Amino acid sequence: MSRDTLAEMADQSAMHIAAAQAKKAELSVANKAIHAFGGEDAVLESIASGCTISALCKVLGVGTATFDRWVDRGGEARTAAYARARTRAAQSLAEQTIDIADAASIQEVQLAKLRSDNRWRLAAKLNPETYGDKQQPLINIDLGSMALDALRKRVIDVTPVNGLVNDPIDEG
């Protein structure tokens, strides 16, 4: 095994410091862009209205990873507000499907269906309890056991006719 030299260790340390400073600078840019956009409430309202994170990041001029770090750096309060906004986004997307269908002309039906279906699927991902497919409970039927039970019942429920039991072995 080779040991790192002091120079190699210093280079690694410098790279880590530079990366940390770059992330800090990205967050500073994100904070400025979000402030210019109208602040945290405006960002969360945009998300709640159904704006995708990638579209919002393009408007803000930041990357999605930087945006995710901004959410994380806001602590539990921002994370909870972000989660609520995403849940409300599902409702917005579901409501948009109705608007799209109502506005479609006969020539635009296929396009409207595609747009509506995509929004509905995204709503189902964002809020599966409300917009996801409802899972039916599984019912297992063991036909082998049912057949055996039926045969046992037939054997047990055999009653002789007129009180006589015909035994083919005794007749012989």
Side-chain angles (χ1 to χ4, degrees):
M1 284 192 207
S2 67
R3 292 188 169 202
D4 292 333
T5 64
L6 286 178
E8 290 172 334
M9 290 171 41
D11 288 345
Q12 280 184 335
S13 179
M15 286 186 346
H16 289 300
I17 291 170
Q21 287 175 341
K23 285 182 182 180
K24 188 175 180 181
E26 285 177 352
L27 283 174
S28 177
V29 169
N31 282 330
K32 288 177 184 175
I34 288 167
H35 179 72
F37 188 75
E40 182 175 335
D41 289 340
V43 167
L44 295 173
E45 184 57 38
S46 181
I47 293 167
S49 69
C51 182
T52 63
I53 301 303
S54 60
L56 178 62
C57 287
K58 283 181 186 176
V59 170
L60 295 174
V62 299
T64 55
T66 301
F67 182 81
D68 289 341
R69 279 194 295 279
W70 174 81
V71 171
D72 292 341
R73 287 276 176 116
E76 289 183 30
R78 186 180 293 158
T79 302
Y82 175 72
R84 285 191 304 274
R86 297 284 284 185
T87 300
R88 287 195 326 267
Q91 181 179 355
S92 296
L93 290 166
E95 289 173 357
Q96 287 175 19
T97 62
I98 296 168
D99 295 338
I100 290 168
D102 288 346
S105 68
I106 198 74
Q107 294 84 9
E108 300 169 330
V109 169
Q110 286 299 96
L111 178 61
K113 180 174 178 15
L114 177 65
R115 292 177 66 212
S116 294
D117 288 350
N118 284 334
R119 280 169 175 75
W120 191 264
R121 278 193 290 277
L122 184 54
K125 292 288 184 187
L126 293 172
N127 190 348
E129 298 84 30
T130 303
Y131 302 106
D133 291 334
K134 305 295 185 239
Q135 297 295 322
Q136 297 297 324
L138 293 176
I139 299 172
N140 290 327
I141 299 174
D142 184 359
L143 295 176
S145 294
M146 289 176 66
L148 287 173
D149 289 344
L151 287 172
R152 285 186 194 113
K153 184 168 176 48
R154 288 183 77 188
V155 170
I156 293 170
D157 287 347
V158 172
T159 54
V161 179
N162 295 329
L164 300 173
V165 177
N166 284 340
D167 190 357
I169 296 174
D170 290 341
E171 292 177 7

